[in-house]
Amino acid sequence: MAVAALAVGGWLTVTGLNDAAATPPVPGAHVTASARTPASTPADAAPGHAGTASPAASAPLAASRPVRVRIPAAGVDTGPLLELGLAPDGTVQVPSEEQADLIGWYREGVTPGQTGPAVLIGHYDTARGPAVMRDVTHVEPGDTITVDRADGSTAVFGVTDLQQVDKKHFPTQRVYGDTAAPELRLITCGGDLRGGHRPDNIILYADLIRTSPPRSH
């Protein structure tokens, strides 16, 4: 069954990089208050829908910046996407509270549709209330995530897994490690507030299942 009771804090942070080639984890959420505190799934819960077959792979696309994300099961249709890099302290930049209705793309990785794991980050809620991923609990394996790209092409991903983990045990290699085909990860936070923090991360994993070509010039 799908992971239940997700919530995002106002900020997502990461630990510093070990070296220039390290792939950064993306745990960490902090808020000063919350408009809602849904019941949480245990942090060590196993990924949902075990045994769900992965969709058939599609050929990778060339690099092109993502501009819009649609997740019908979660009622998400948002753009433009924010470009997120690394802050001076080595943490991953994230959408601000004022940008809570937008999703960010980690630009130090691949663009969605290229070979490798493209990473998106979005809030479930902030101290101001519900945010872009507020209905992520409705997403299940087999649902789609569609990313429109700046060159006019579209990459459609099929969700294969949902995982809720304690931020102290963030699965860095699984999220950021090299893959042989185009994949997508969407990261948010979860768990009940503890002293203004959400203790868990929620990660959606998805494989590229179909594409549309770039606009002709």
Side-chain angles (χ1 to χ4, degrees):
M1 60 182 177
V3 175
L6 317 183
V8 140
W11 303 99
L12 294 166
T13 62
V14 297
T15 58
L17 301 180
N18 293 325
D19 53 63
T23 51
V26 187
H30 175 73
V31 292
T32 56
S34 178
R36 53 194 280 178
T37 307
S40 63
T41 296
D44 60 354
H49 289 255
T52 301
S54 298
S58 184
L61 296 169
S64 182
R65 179 174 52 85
V67 296
R68 180 184 179 192
V69 172
R70 288 170 281 163
I71 312 173
V76 172
D77 187 345
T78 186
L81 266 67
L82 305 169
E83 291 193 19
L84 307 174
L86 292 175
D89 63 356
T91 64
V92 171
Q93 297 171 330
V94 299
S96 67
E97 283 195 72
E98 293 76 18
Q99 299 167 319
D101 287 332
L102 298 177
I103 286 175
W105 160 62
Y106 179 56
R107 65 172 179 257
E108 302 300 325
V110 301
T111 63
Q114 283 186 280
T115 298
V119 177
L120 304 179
I121 301 170
H123 293 302
Y124 180 83
D125 67 1
T126 70
R128 299 181 176 210
V132 65
M133 295 305 299
R134 58 188 172 271
D135 290 325
V136 70
T137 54
H138 299 164
V139 178
E140 299 183 357
D143 290 333
T144 59
I145 300 173
T146 299
V147 181
D148 296 343
R149 304 173 357 128
D151 64 1
S153 63
T154 299
V156 182
F157 296 84
V159 174
T160 59
D161 202 1
L162 295 91
Q163 184 181 24
Q164 181 165 343
V165 295
D166 189 301
K167 294 170 188 173
K168 296 176 182 178
H169 305 291
F170 186 83
T172 303
Q173 183 60 34
R174 186 179 182 196
V175 171
Y176 286 96
D178 291 340
T179 62
E183 298 186 17
L184 187 73
R185 286 84 168 93
L186 193 155
I187 304 170
T188 188
C189 290
D192 291 328
L193 279 173
R194 297 177 187 172
H197 295 262
R198 301 288 180 185
D200 303 337
N201 278 125
I202 306 303
I203 307 158
L204 306 185
Y205 298 87
D207 292 345
L208 185 68
I209 55 175
R210 62 180 180 273
T211 62
S212 65
R215 288 187 297 262
S216 58
H217 297 284

